[in-house]
Amino acid sequence: MIHGPHIDWFALAGVNSLLAASALALLSAVLVPGPLRRPVAASLCALGYATAIGFTIALYVKSPHGHGVVVDAFRRDRLAQFAGIILAGSGLLATAISYRERMREHHGEYYALLAAAGGGMLFFVGANNLMTLFLGLEWFSISLYILCAIDRDRLGGLEAALKYLVIGGFGSAVLLFGSALVYGATGQLNFDAISAAGQAHDSLLVFGLAMIIAGLAFKASAAPFHMWTPDVYEGAPTPVTAFMAAATKAAALVVMLRVLVTAFPSQAHLWTVALAAIAVCSLVIGNLAALVQKGVKRMLAYSSISQAGFMLIAVSTDSNLGARALLYYLIPYAAMSLGSFAVVAARERELGVPVTFENMAGFGWERPLLGVSMWAFMLGFAGFPLTGGFVGKFYIFAAAYDRGWTWLVIVGVAATAVSLYYYLGVIRAMYFRPAEELQLAPVAGGSPPRELLLQTAVTAALVVTVGSFFAVQPLIDAARHATEFLFL
């Protein structure tokens, strides 16, 4: 009799709930009458993400020490569940933002892919060996490739999907080849086993490590591996861009932290310096390129590259303080990314054209809730007080200073000062440019609809952005519990 491995189904409950939601949403595209497909598919997707949030919270509470499941290929621990809460929350808000997005008759397929991408990300952050890491990466990447091109009438989306497919496929191939080199050097796939193999000075292992870092940096939109980000963020449907900016970056950075700390501690003297250099490149390229952008989506894309630099500073410190800073900062960052792109989506639907600094004129007065929210998100990205962005950057700089990298703190502070120009430029456009300057045809059908779900998502993102400033200690404690096993 063949005995299969014991499977902890509870550890996979969040992933399975999203897979079930994806399957049901796809069935709705066939079985549900046309007018009902959008609400049914969106409800199933939202229910899947809400269920995943419940399971990840329960798993966080019930997994204080963490252990491997499914032949140790998947890790049930608080780090995976902390990241899972951020990812599932991002997916839930992305579902609300997507509700009024134009996608022809592909509502069932859209929400099925959105749920499948979230399930892949939850699986990805729990990966405990190189094989499951690659499978999780491809799982959510393929879903995102298709989501970028879901609207066939949108040429920018088709171009974005093609670029993302080609460059993302190359990044995945680099990661896979690096994993093969690591396996060749150590004969191991599990992260703990790679660390225990003791091949600290093996050149094959070092080359494999470099390629794994490069592959994950592609997904994190870190320079100089960022070349796909501006075009894809600009061309993809805005709710998909919001989900990618928040969830994909969070998943890639959490996995990078886990892999480097658990599998390659003996090479820390190499990868810490490499990540610090990548962080500086991201800060310089992201901020300088954002200064000259005219489109708001493209500016936010380069802002995302810059934000990746800040978060890589936290990973590069190889310390418990840096790990806590990363996990804390991912909370307001995900909220600010989703909220800002949601505001852009609302403006796009009003005007029917891409959103620029010019046609944001007067938006803050026309739509007070969205205007105030965008104002808060921009200040949060810039690291102003009363937002979680301020505390997150402070903790990241504290971790770099604690390691003795004062120069990196100086670079980060200078990058923050440069970023004020384009973040405050959005606020200036919304509040200090008269709406009469806007020379666009009115929206067909009269005044634009007030989208309740999108406004609810923006409000939730605003609450998290500001609330994380006042709830610092509970969030830092949760992050500490999630990362304490990494640095025993």
Side-chain angles (χ1 to χ4, degrees):
M1 181 180 293
I2 299 175
H3 295 282
H6 172 70
I7 298 177
D8 184 351
W9 292 107
F10 186 41
L12 298 172
V15 177
N16 288 334
S17 65
L18 285 168
L19 281 177
S22 177
L24 292 173
L26 194 58
L27 283 174
S28 72
V30 180
L31 302 178
V32 176
L36 297 177
R37 285 176 190 166
R38 186 203 300 260
V40 170
S43 299
L44 290 169
C45 184
L47 180 61
Y49 274 113
T51 305
I53 292 173
F55 280 126
T56 49
I57 292 173
L59 282 163
Y60 179 92
V61 173
K62 294 180 178 295
S63 307
H65 305 296
H67 59 273
V69 298
V70 195
V71 201
D72 214 26
F74 187 83
R75 182 85 181 172
R76 172 180 168 174
D77 58 27
R78 285 183 165 175
L79 177 60
Q81 308 316 320
F82 189 100
I85 294 169
I86 296 174
L87 297 175
S90 298
L92 185 60
L93 292 184
T95 303
I97 297 167
S98 300
Y99 191 73
R100 291 294 180 186
E101 189 70 12
R102 188 188 70 174
M103 56 192 75
R104 290 172 63 93
E105 299 299 322
H106 303 299
H107 304 296
E109 295 90 334
Y110 177 89
Y111 290 107
L113 289 165
L114 188 61
M121 289 178 187
L122 290 185
F123 188 78
F124 182 59
V125 296
N128 198 40
N129 68 32
L130 295 174
M131 183 64 71
T132 50
L133 183 150
F134 180 74
L135 291 175
L137 178 72
E138 288 303 289
W139 177 348
F140 75 79
S141 294
I142 292 172
S143 300
L144 292 176
Y145 298 153
I146 304 171
L147 282 172
C148 288
I150 195 75
D151 184 359
R152 291 177 297 172
D153 294 335
R154 186 187 183 115
L155 294 179
L158 297 175
E159 180 184 353
L162 182 59
K163 289 181 178 179
Y164 195 18
L165 174 63
V166 173
I167 301 176
F170 179 76
S172 298
V174 169
L175 176 66
L176 182 60
F177 190 54
S179 300
L181 293 180
V182 171
Y183 179 73
T186 63
Q188 302 292 337
L189 289 175
N190 278 31
F191 301 153
D192 293 337
I194 292 170
S195 174
Q199 304 290 330
H201 304 291
D202 192 318
S203 58
L204 197 64
L205 181 66
V206 173
F207 277 113
L209 169 61
M211 297 183 81
I212 288 174
I213 291 174
L216 292 174
F218 269 105
K219 290 300 175 185
S221 306
F225 311 100
H226 68 289
M227 64 287 296
W228 62 273
T229 308
D231 292 335
V232 173
Y233 277 29
E234 183 179 36
T238 304
V240 177
T241 303
F243 184 64
M244 288 194 295
T248 305
K249 192 180 301 294
L253 289 166
V254 169
V255 168
M256 186 181 291
L257 175 68
R258 181 194 292 277
V259 171
L260 295 179
V261 172
T262 59
F264 301 101
S266 56
Q267 288 79 31
H269 62 289
L270 297 175
W271 61 256
T272 52
V273 176
L275 289 187
I278 294 173
V280 172
C281 288
S282 299
L283 291 171
V284 172
I285 293 174
N287 280 292
L288 293 182
L291 291 175
V292 297
Q293 301 306 315
K294 303 298 184 184
V296 177
K297 280 181 75 174
R298 201 169 181 88
M299 180 277 289
L300 289 174
Y302 281 108
S303 165
S304 172
I305 295 167
S306 172
Q307 296 296 324
F310 285 111
M311 289 182 272
L312 283 174
I313 293 175
V315 182
S316 70
T317 61
D318 187 28
S319 66
N320 209 331
L321 179 59
R324 294 200 303 269
L326 171 67
L327 293 192
Y328 171 83
Y329 192 51
L330 284 174
I331 298 171
Y333 168 77
M336 293 184 295
S337 294
L338 287 159
S340 58
F341 279 110
V343 174
V344 172
R347 190 59 165 171
E348 278 182 345
R349 294 167 193 172
E350 288 180 1
L351 304 178
V353 297
V355 177
T356 65
F357 284 86
E358 291 295 325
N359 59 33
M360 286 290 284
F363 181 71
W365 305 112
E366 297 167 10
R367 303 289 292 273
L369 173 62
L370 299 184
V372 169
S373 299
M374 192 67 162
W375 172 73
F377 300 142
M378 293 300 102
L379 294 183
F381 280 134
F384 273 69
L386 300 184
T387 68
F390 171 78
V391 180
K393 287 188 176 181
F394 178 83
Y395 265 95
I396 289 171
F397 292 154
Y401 180 81
D402 186 62
R403 184 180 170 83
W405 283 354
T406 307
W407 63 273
L408 199 51
V409 176
I410 294 172
V411 172
V413 172
T416 300
V418 172
S419 71
L420 292 177
Y421 178 83
Y422 55 86
Y423 287 136
L424 295 181
V426 176
I427 299 174
R428 173 180 174 272
M430 290 192 301
Y431 288 99
F432 298 100
R433 291 179 66 92
E436 290 76 16
E437 294 183 17
L438 185 61
Q439 300 295 326
L440 291 172
V443 178
S447 60
R450 303 307 191 201
E451 300 180 31
L452 179 59
L453 286 177
L454 185 143
Q455 292 187 1
T456 302
V458 171
T459 303
L462 178 64
V463 169
V464 173
T465 300
V466 178
S468 56
F469 177 84
F470 296 97
V472 174
Q473 196 58 51
L475 295 177
I476 289 293
D477 288 342
R480 185 183 73 249
H481 294 149
T483 58
E484 58 189 1
F485 77 95
L486 293 175
F487 301 95
L488 294 176

